[in-house]
Amino acid sequence: MELRHLRYFTAVADTLHFGRAAQQLGVSQPPLSQQIRALEEELGVRLFERSSRKVQLTEAGRVFLDEARATLAHADHAIDVARRAARGDFGKLTLGFNPSAPFVPTVARAIFEFRQHHPEVRIELLELSAGAQVAALAAGEIDISFLRGPTVPTVPPGIVATRILEERLFAAMRSDHPLARKASLSFQDLHGEAMIFYAREQKGSFAGSLLDMLHDMGVEPVVAQDVREISTMFGLAVAGLGIAVLAESLCALQPAGLTYRPIRGKKAMSSLWILSARNAQGLVARQFLDILESHGPGSLGPESPGPESPGLEAPGPAPSDDADG
């Protein structure tokens, strides 16, 4: 028995007329009659009572009609599911990210648009350290990850790192902090200042890279507190325990009593990188990357180390450089 047999049967059952059913199906009447006879012979029952004046369903035909319609509906559903799966409408997208990624407009818009276009794809977001993101991506546990770093991240073979954003660093402090009187700061302004660091102990962390850069420039801040939550970092800064240095994206958060000041200098920049598998990208991941790319100029090709590498968004106007730049 084939699906076309069921389609032929339901067409005749709906019209109770072989001629009209044949016209509806786009076939000639003799082959249609032959297919119905073949179906009856296969089932071993008569589905229709035929006379020169009318066609009627038998009791077996009426029962079989309900089952035939259900079978055809299931088949149509299976076809639809297969086609939608081929388009990437089903499945799961797992994203690893750093705390500031959701505040980057390009990233937020891409996630929102992906959800609108693929509502049946489940998005799983995992906040992970830089090292954990790389390890999870290499193990196939996540599809795409976002992490921060001043230079191209070190990744294993098969993983592509692409810079999608470069933005200025800002210092967050109490509004009555002495440094808040300045329109902008230099890194030297942070020498000897109490500072709050997020996840400083994690390998490849933003805070670790920042401290290394400060030390290289001879700037020695005072580590007042290490925190594991961004909200804690902001709260302690408002409480006056120290200054926090963060990427411009996080300036979208505006706790009462907190002031942001841009940090001058060519080195006072932060890059956001997207990491993905070079050859093992599933359809769902590729669709997300396509949406992400559509929100900015250039393409999501692999990044090569160097200052001229393009990103999806250009950094905003930078304050004039001091000697620390």
Side-chain angles (χ1 to χ4, degrees):
M1 184 186 304
E2 300 178 13
L3 288 177
R4 63 187 175 91
H5 291 136
L6 299 183
R7 297 191 193 281
Y8 288 174
F9 165 71
T10 56
V12 176
D14 288 340
T15 61
L16 294 178
H17 193 284
F18 277 83
R20 285 195 293 270
Q23 185 176 17
Q24 184 184 99
L25 293 166
V27 299
S28 59
Q29 183 173 336
L32 174 61
S33 298
Q34 291 171 7
Q35 293 297 323
I36 295 297
R37 258 190 244 98
L39 177 61
E40 289 177 323
E41 290 175 4
E42 183 176 351
L43 296 175
V45 298
R46 289 181 62 83
L47 300 173
F48 296 101
E49 293 289 352
R50 306 167 179 83
S51 71
S52 59
R53 304 178 63 179
K54 62 181 179 179
V55 176
Q56 289 183 310
L57 283 165
T58 63
E59 181 61 27
R62 282 190 289 272
V63 173
F64 184 66
L65 179 59
D66 291 337
E67 299 300 323
R69 283 176 173 158
T71 299
L72 289 172
H74 284 303
D76 289 341
H77 176 70
I79 292 170
D80 179 62
V81 167
R83 288 173 177 168
R84 294 177 65 187
R87 296 195 302 265
D89 290 343
F90 292 108
K92 182 177 75 169
L93 176 67
T94 305
L95 303 176
F97 67 99
N98 69 310
S100 66
F103 297 96
V104 174
T106 297
V107 177
R109 286 197 303 268
I111 293 175
F112 175 80
E113 186 173 327
F114 184 86
R115 286 179 60 86
Q116 301 306 303
H117 290 173
H118 308 283
E120 295 188 61
V121 174
R122 183 163 65 91
I123 300 179
E124 184 175 357
L125 300 171
L126 302 176
E127 185 174 343
L128 301 170
S129 67
Q133 285 191 48
V134 173
L137 189 61
E141 297 171 356
I142 60 177
D143 300 304
I144 294 168
S145 70
F146 298 92
L147 58 81
R148 284 198 175 273
T151 59
V152 182
T154 301
V155 295
I159 303 299
V160 178
T162 305
R163 182 167 60 189
I164 64 170
L165 174 68
E166 188 177 37
E167 57 186 344
R168 185 150 296 278
L169 295 178
F170 276 67
M173 68 201 80
R174 276 183 61 93
S175 300
D176 58 2
H177 192 285
L179 291 179
R181 302 191 190 103
K182 295 189 173 186
S184 63
L185 306 179
S186 70
F187 277 125
Q188 276 67 29
D189 288 325
L190 300 178
H191 184 76
E193 288 288 337
M195 293 184 64
I196 304 164
F197 291 94
Y198 170 76
R200 180 171 60 106
E201 75 285 357
Q202 293 180 357
K203 181 180 178 181
S205 67
F206 169 81
S209 298
L210 174 63
L211 268 174
D212 290 343
M213 182 171 60
L214 292 175
H215 292 156
D216 290 343
M217 291 188 293
V219 177
E220 295 295 336
V222 176
V223 180
Q225 187 71 43
D226 285 315
V227 299
R228 293 182 175 273
E229 300 291 339
I230 287 292
S231 58
T232 304
M233 183 180 75
F234 281 107
L236 296 183
V238 172
L241 267 68
I243 296 173
V245 172
L246 41 79
E248 185 174 359
S249 298
L250 283 174
C251 294
L253 299 174
Q254 295 284 340
L258 199 67
T259 293
Y260 298 101
R261 291 292 180 263
I263 301 177
R264 302 185 301 272
K266 294 179 181 177
K267 294 181 180 179
M269 304 297 295
S270 173
S271 292
L272 181 66
W273 305 86
I274 184 169
L275 273 59
S276 58
R278 185 186 301 275
N279 298 318
Q281 292 171 358
L283 180 59
V284 170
R286 183 65 257 172
Q287 287 174 328
F288 180 78
L289 290 175
D290 289 343
I291 290 175
L292 186 64
E293 181 181 358
S294 72
H295 286 297
S299 62
L300 285 179
E303 181 82 11
S304 298
E308 302 302 323
S309 300
L312 285 180
E313 290 187 5
S320 58
D321 291 346
D322 277 354
D324 59 303

